[in-house]
Amino acid sequence: MKYFAIILLLIAQSCQKPVKTENASSYIFTWVKDENDWNSDYIAVINSNPNDRGYGSLVSTLPVGYSDINAHHSEHRFHEIKELFVNGFSGGRSFIVDLNEPEYPKLKKTFTNIREYTFPHSFERLPSGNVLATFQTVGQGNNEVGGLVEISPDGDFVRSSNASDPQVAEFIRPYSLAILPEIDRVISTSADMKQKDLSNVVQVWRLSDLSLIKTMTLKPGPRGNEHFDPAEPRILKDGKTVLISTFFCGLYKVKDIESDSPSIEWVYSFDFNDKYDCAIPVVNGDYWIQAVGSKSAVVSLDVSDPEKPKKAHELKFKKGEWPHWIALEPSGNRLVVTGNNRLKNTLMIVDIDKKTGKMSFDRSFRDKRTGKLGFSFDRFEWPHGNTDSGVPHGSVFSLE
């Protein structure tokens, strides 16, 4: 029996997942919708330290005091200020959350419109620590084009610029953005969250004065509809090449971005089932990693030659699990993933091989209550009270 026990122990150790020690983030901060909109949406803090016995456990929650606002986007990366901008898009309301003490998150400020600009969507940090945000509209009713608004870390107005362009007839609703301070540029996309119409434009701005340089019109790819609703711009590792994914699963490259006459061209098409299929991407070294919802997959492309992306790997989720939001750990070793359909109540971690782009599920990240893969928000007891199950969306890793 003694030898049999030793053999079982050795087998268990050989099957055990290697412990990650390289700059692992200790926490995930996720922005969560109360599923039935009866109670407040909230920030949840989850233990993401694989070397800790509490790995995968819930650390704390912070209700923001508002329900039925559709907890939506957060910043895509956590900043050294250790505060997080998040928005409840349907309510046109945003929040600044202080996460300097993850065990005790604090609500710093809530705001709605900034001057005439309404329905904020995406937030990106400037080198100063200020935030540059896209606001979809001016006023109410989804009738007037919004723009870019710079906001202080305290949520105060700094400056703004409207995205309307009399030189083009295309429909514009500022959606997301990328900031390139070293070349004095900002790239913004256009897609209407309220789905009044489809868009097919990307805009290039001068960062120093927020002047609009050019509104570029996307042309279809070989499938014929890749150009609709440009969604997420990302900067490649050289710091000046920008690729942009669309909700209709096209990938486009901005050319001559430093000039006053930039242009944009199609470079790749992901598999596509329906509109709004391709959601959030990240860039990790030479790899563009893309959530493709109804394909139940996260796909990595080798973009070392950005004009000729090549598929490196596809990680398949279970049928009906639609990954939507992904965010990269600062070390580049892991992704946090939230999604829709059968994935709507679960947050998962995916491991990445930075050299090959290959991905795998972190099977040691499991719900402490059920033992199932990922952290489950399908529960009714929370630190802030007995409420409803949750639907996580915008999520980021902590810096350390």
Side-chain angles (χ1 to χ4, degrees):
M1 290 295 295
K2 178 180 178 181
Y3 294 111
F4 182 70
I6 293 173
I7 291 171
L8 287 178
L9 178 62
L10 291 172
I11 291 173
Q13 289 176 342
S14 68
C15 295
Q16 192 174 36
K17 186 181 179 73
V19 175
K20 304 185 203 70
T21 58
E22 184 188 348
N23 303 317
S25 296
S26 296
Y27 303 100
I28 291 170
F29 307 122
T30 184
W31 176 217
V32 188
K33 175 186 181 297
D34 183 78
E35 185 159 8
N36 287 314
D37 296 321
W38 295 335
N39 303 282
S40 173
D41 292 352
Y42 53 94
I43 293 288
V45 180
I46 298 168
N47 185 327
S48 64
N49 181 356
N51 304 307
D52 190 273
R53 292 182 65 181
Y55 188 45
S57 63
L58 181 65
V59 176
S60 58
T61 58
L62 173 70
V64 297
Y66 292 88
S67 61
D68 199 18
I69 56 172
N70 185 27
H72 189 57
H73 274 215
S74 66
E75 296 177 62
H76 293 278
R77 292 161 296 278
F78 200 47
H79 190 266
E80 60 187 11
I81 292 177
K82 296 185 179 179
E83 295 175 352
L84 194 66
F85 277 63
V86 299
N87 84 65
F89 184 82
S90 295
R93 185 173 293 275
S94 297
F95 306 87
I96 306 173
V97 182
D98 182 344
L99 290 158
N100 278 277
E101 296 181 274
E103 298 87 352
Y104 307 101
K106 301 178 182 66
L107 183 60
K108 181 176 179 179
K109 186 172 184 176
T110 176
F111 62 91
T112 52
N113 56 299
I114 298 287
R115 297 195 175 179
E116 71 269 29
Y117 291 95
T118 51
F119 290 95
H121 187 268
S122 293
F123 307 103
E124 288 289 334
R125 291 279 173 172
L126 292 160
S128 65
N130 285 353
V131 166
L132 193 60
T134 53
F135 281 68
Q136 292 239 291
T137 47
V138 163
Q140 301 300 317
N142 195 21
N143 295 317
E144 295 187 41
V145 180
L148 304 185
V149 181
E150 185 174 341
I151 309 168
S152 76
D154 293 325
D156 298 321
F157 173 85
V158 177
R159 58 178 178 156
S160 64
S161 189
N162 194 274
S164 59
D165 188 345
Q167 303 299 317
V168 300
E170 279 79 2
F171 182 77
I172 300 173
R173 289 292 182 270
Y175 181 82
S176 191
L177 70 164
I179 299 168
L180 299 92
E182 293 185 1
I183 59 173
D184 195 27
R185 291 292 184 268
V186 177
I187 304 292
S188 67
T189 58
S190 175
D192 185 11
M193 281 288 295
K194 297 181 180 180
Q195 301 183 33
K196 181 177 181 179
D197 201 352
L198 296 175
S199 184
N200 65 337
V201 301
V202 167
Q203 296 180 297
V204 181
W205 310 72
R206 187 172 290 107
L207 175 59
S208 53
D209 60 6
L210 285 190
S211 60
L212 180 61
I213 294 172
K214 188 176 181 181
T215 301
M216 304 180 295
T217 302
L218 279 64
K219 295 181 180 179
R223 192 177 59 238
N225 62 356
E226 292 94 332
H227 59 310
F228 287 132
D229 282 350
E232 295 291 346
R234 295 290 183 267
I235 304 165
L236 301 192
K237 68 177 185 179
D238 65 2
K240 60 182 180 180
T241 300
V242 175
L243 296 181
I244 298 170
S245 61
T246 74
F247 278 121
F248 283 68
C249 291
L251 190 62
Y252 287 77
K253 177 180 180 290
V254 180
K255 301 179 69 175
D256 302 317
I257 193 171
E258 298 179 61
S259 75
D260 290 336
S261 298
S263 60
I264 192 163
E265 66 177 6
W266 169 90
V267 293
Y268 190 85
S269 296
F270 293 92
D271 290 340
F272 174 79
N273 274 356
D274 198 1
K275 62 182 181 179
Y276 312 123
D277 224 4
C278 285
I280 305 298
V282 300
V283 171
N284 194 14
D286 283 329
Y287 295 96
W288 177 282
I289 303 173
Q290 179 76 51
V292 187
S294 68
K295 292 294 183 182
S296 297
V298 174
V299 177
S300 64
L301 301 180
D302 182 342
V303 291
S304 54
D305 181 350
E307 295 188 1
K308 297 179 180 179
K310 298 178 181 178
K311 187 173 180 179
H313 187 244
E314 178 174 333
L315 179 65
K316 294 292 290 185
F317 287 65
K318 291 181 180 178
K319 184 177 181 180
E321 294 182 340
W322 293 1
H324 182 91
W325 176 281
I326 61 176
L328 187 66
E329 188 176 28
S331 67
N333 291 320
R334 298 186 290 174
L335 294 174
V336 56
V337 182
T338 64
N340 299 317
N341 205 358
R342 293 181 180 175
L343 197 60
K344 71 176 181 177
N345 300 119
T346 304
L347 179 148
M348 302 182 76
I349 288 179
V350 167
D351 294 327
I352 309 171
D353 185 324
K354 293 186 287 186
K355 294 181 180 180
T356 65
K358 188 174 181 179
M359 300 166 289
S360 60
F361 294 110
D362 181 348
R363 298 195 177 277
S364 65
F365 184 74
R366 293 182 175 272
D367 192 272
K368 295 298 183 183
R369 299 173 308 115
T370 66
K372 293 182 179 179
L373 192 63
F375 180 91
S376 174
F377 286 82
D378 189 11
R379 62 179 76 190
F380 302 98
E381 295 181 2
W382 301 96
H384 60 274
N386 295 343
T387 63
D388 206 349
S389 54
V391 180
H393 200 99
S395 305
V396 295
F397 283 97
S398 63
L399 296 179
E400 67 279 321

